[in-house]
């Protein structure tokens, strides 16, 4: 069974409510229709009902029976406004400014629906940039108590692939932390291992990637990864984690036998931690386009409640996949 189909079946047992704010985009409405038909989650659409219905009808999309919340007429708006004001008043925001933001910015309003318990998670990014999606999440949802950094990952599903977990990988961080320090890389690695365990249900094997394998090159960039490996092993010695590895040494057993024969992770990695955002973002797009992989994300990790981003090049099926993953994050 397809990986995302497995996730959908798991979340059907206890349906969660996911809010979608980019209702001016037909891909969002098509995704909502699919989720309604498949019945694995409840959906809330944010915006003016007449405009949303008109867009849906003009594209033969059926969103009947899907909840639509208009910030201007929402009966609990004052509750959201006051809660948002309390969260941001230390930053100088006034009650009037809080109201204006929530009325004019659907992403802020949607985050407040999650914060106040009217929804369990949020998915956006088909229209808005990652920065615009994640800024309100960081201000409103904030970091989970056990997390030191919010990062992101892509769930990669590579067809006909003998590597990873039957072609399933977590790539991290590909969408958020630009140039992580060694300490941040270690946190990303440990969190990504937990993410893989949660979503895939198999033992994570974490490879810290570099252009060097176990000292084959000398550079400050390599030293950053070497230090990250040391920190991660000290912080969580139970995680199967090693590096620094070149990509082929991380996932190909025959290469690992030559380059890292004493590593239990080399050649078997299913969680790939990239040294910076450039390499991670480039790698996931290459994998998606050349290997025809399904790329779900960037999914956030480390937030108190799940708020997940999308690639602006996504289609409605990509959105459905991220909704399923978001619902699963809510479940656990």
């Amino acid at each position: 069974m397809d990986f995302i189909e497995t996730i959908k079946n798991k979340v059907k047992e206890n349906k969660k409510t996911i809010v979608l704010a980019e209702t001016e985009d037909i891909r969002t409405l098509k995704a909502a229709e699919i989720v309604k038909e498949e019945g694995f989650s409840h959906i809330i659409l944010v915006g003016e009902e007449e405009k949303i219905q008109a867009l849906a009808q003009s594209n033969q999309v059926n969103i009947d029976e899907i909840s639509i919340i208009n910030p201007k007429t929402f009966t609990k708006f004052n509750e959201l406004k006051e809660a948002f004001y309390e969260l941001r008043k230390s930053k100088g925001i006034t009650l009037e400014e809080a109201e204006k933001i929530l009325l004019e910015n659907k992403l802020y309003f949607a985050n407040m629906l999650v914060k106040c318990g009217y929804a369990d998670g949020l998915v956006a990014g088909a229209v808005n940039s990652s920065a615009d999606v994640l800024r309100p999440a960081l201000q409103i949802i904030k970091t989970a108590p056990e997390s030191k950094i919010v990062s992101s990952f892509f769930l990669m599903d590579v067809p006909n692939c003998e590597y990873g977990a039957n072609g399933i990988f977590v790539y991290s961080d590909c969408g958020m932390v630009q140039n992580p320090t060694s300490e941040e890389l270690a946190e990303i690695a440990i969190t990504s291992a937990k993410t893989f365990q949660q979503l895939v249900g198999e033992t994570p094997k974490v490879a810290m990637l570099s252009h060097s394998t176990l000292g084959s090159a000398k550079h400050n960039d390599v030293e950053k990864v070497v230090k990250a490996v040391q920190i991660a092993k000290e912080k969580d010695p139970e995680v199967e984690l090693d590096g620094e590895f070149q990509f082929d040494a991380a996932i190909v057993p025959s290469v690992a036998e030559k380059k890292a024969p004493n590593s239990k992770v080399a050649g078997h990695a299913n969680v790939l931690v990239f040294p910076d955002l450039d390499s991670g973002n480039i790698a996931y797009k290459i994998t998606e386009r050349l290997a025809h992989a399904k790329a779900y994300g960037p999914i956030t990790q480390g937030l108190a409640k799940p708020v997940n981003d999308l690639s602006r090049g996504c289609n409605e099926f990509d959105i459905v996949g991220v909704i399923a993953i978001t619902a699963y994050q809510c479940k656990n």
Side-chain angles (χ1 to χ4, degrees), residues 228-293:
V229 172
Q230 295 170 346
I231 295 170
K233 286 183 175 181
E234 290 172 2
K235 286 192 172 184
D236 196 339
E238 298 299 316
V239 174
E240 292 189 35
L241 177 150
D242 208 355
E244 85 286 9
F245 294 137
Q246 294 163 307
F247 179 78
D248 56 354
I251 71 164
V252 182
S254 61
V255 175
E257 287 176 7
K258 298 175 182 178
K259 293 187 174 183
N262 298 318
S263 173
K264 293 181 180 180
V265 171
H268 305 285
N270 46 36
V271 177
L272 304 179
V273 178
F274 295 86
D276 54 43
L277 191 61
D278 286 342
S279 56
N281 194 272
I282 291 166
Y284 104 77
K285 288 181 183 292
I286 288 174
T287 307
E288 179 183 26
R289 299 301 179 179
L290 296 188
H292 304 290

Side-chain angles (χ1 to χ4, degrees), residues 3 151-156 169-176 188 191-192 195-196 198-199 271-272 284 295-302 308-309 325 329:
F3 175 77
S151 59
S152 74
F153 68 92
F154 273 84
L155 194 291
M156 306 298 298
F169 295 88
V170 160
Y171 281 22
S172 190
D173 183 343
C174 304
M176 195 165 185
I188 290 168
T191 305
S192 297
T195 290
F196 184 89
Q198 174 191 8
L199 288 176
V271 177
L272 304 179
Y284 104 77
Y296 299 102
I299 310 294
T300 56
Q301 50 188 10
N308 287 324
D309 193 15
I325 292 171
Q329 287 179 309

Side-chain angles (χ1 to χ4, degrees), residues 69-255:
I69 294 180
N70 183 346
K72 295 177 182 177
T73 59
F74 185 47
T75 57
K76 302 294 184 180
F77 181 82
N78 283 339
E79 176 191 340
L80 268 60
K81 176 182 70 175
E82 291 168 9
F84 182 52
Y85 166 69
E86 289 297 323
L87 284 169
R88 302 299 293 168
K89 65 181 182 181
S90 64
K91 302 297 182 181
I93 194 173
T94 65
L95 195 58
E96 292 74 17
E97 289 169 335
E99 178 174 346
K100 186 173 187 292
I101 290 170
L102 293 184
L103 288 174
E104 295 180 357
N105 191 311
K106 290 188 292 184
L107 290 174
Y108 274 86
F109 180 83
N111 271 275
M112 286 306 302
L113 288 177
V114 176
K115 181 71 173 180
C116 293
Y118 294 102
D120 299 299
L122 185 159
V123 173
V127 175
N128 291 277
S129 68
S130 295
D132 287 340
V133 171
L134 295 172
R135 186 180 304 109
L138 292 170
Q139 293 177 3
I140 294 169
I141 305 300
K142 300 188 177 181
T143 306
E146 69 276 10
S147 300
K148 292 186 178 180
I149 184 173
V150 177
S151 59
S152 74
F153 68 92
F154 273 84
L155 194 291
M156 306 298 298
D157 186 352
V158 186
N160 305 313
C161 179
E162 62 190 287
Y163 306 121
N166 295 316
I168 302 294
F169 295 88
V170 160
Y171 281 22
S172 190
D173 183 343
C174 304
M176 195 165 185
V177 185
Q178 180 67 48
N179 189 17
T181 64
S182 296
E183 290 76 11
E184 289 171 334
L185 267 181
E187 289 292 335
I188 290 168
I190 292 168
T191 305
S192 297
K194 293 175 182 177
T195 290
F196 184 89
Q197 178 71 55
Q198 174 191 8
L199 288 176
V200 184
E202 295 189 18
T203 302
K205 297 181 183 294
V206 185
M208 309 292 279
L209 298 183
S210 173
H211 69 274
S212 168
T213 295
L214 301 181
S216 64
K218 302 295 182 184
H219 192 275
N220 289 340
D221 292 343
V222 177
E223 288 304 312
K224 180 179 83 168
V225 179
V226 172
K227 185 177 178 182
V229 172
Q230 295 170 346
I231 295 170
K233 286 183 175 181
E234 290 172 2
K235 286 192 172 184
D236 196 339
E238 298 299 316
V239 174
E240 292 189 35
L241 177 150
D242 208 355
E244 85 286 9
F245 294 137
Q246 294 163 307
F247 179 78
D248 56 354
I251 71 164
V252 182
S254 61
V255 175

Side-chain angles (χ1 to χ4, degrees), residues 5-22:
E5 294 304 315
T6 302
I7 294 292
K8 291 176 184 176
N9 286 334
K10 289 180 179 179
V11 298
K12 279 182 181 178
E13 303 165 3
N14 182 18
K15 293 182 186 178
K16 299 300 181 180
T17 299
I18 308 302
V19 58
L20 306 177
E22 296 169 320

